[in-house]
Amino acid sequence: MIYKFKSKAAGDLIFLPDTARQVLSILGKPDAAQGIIEPAAMAAAVQALQAAVAQAEQAHAQAADEARARGEKPPPKPTVALRQRVQPFIAMLERCERAQQPIVWGV
């Protein structure tokens, strides 16, 4: 199922299932067919996504350092990093928070 995030304050944002589930998991939301993010929760959602990005980048850097220490080739960077995947959603959250409009999906 493709997830389509909608709001009156921003254009629609479409995620493939794996990415949507990952984002919703980071936000502590179930990967239900329908849902809502209220404006009051958006600042915390942005912080959670930014923390997840930092953690993913730190984990990759640590794995690369450990591989180099063992004399091995470091693991390749992901083709599309989490930072790139969540940036449009962070922008949507920030815009919707300013406009005090919820983000919904599946409705």
Side-chain angles (χ1 to χ4, degrees), residues 16-77:
L16 294 174
D18 290 342
T19 303
R21 286 187 198 107
Q22 182 182 21
V23 168
L24 292 172
S25 173
I26 291 167
L27 300 179
K29 297 273 188 185
D31 64 346
Q34 295 181 336
I36 186 168
I37 301 172
E38 295 288 347
M42 291 180 182
V46 169
Q47 288 177 342
L49 290 169
Q50 290 172 336
V53 166
Q55 182 181 20
E57 290 174 349
Q58 183 180 15
H60 184 270
Q62 183 177 355
D65 289 344
E66 290 171 359
R68 281 189 212 95
R70 292 189 305 267
E72 299 172 358
K73 183 178 177 183
K77 289 186 177 182

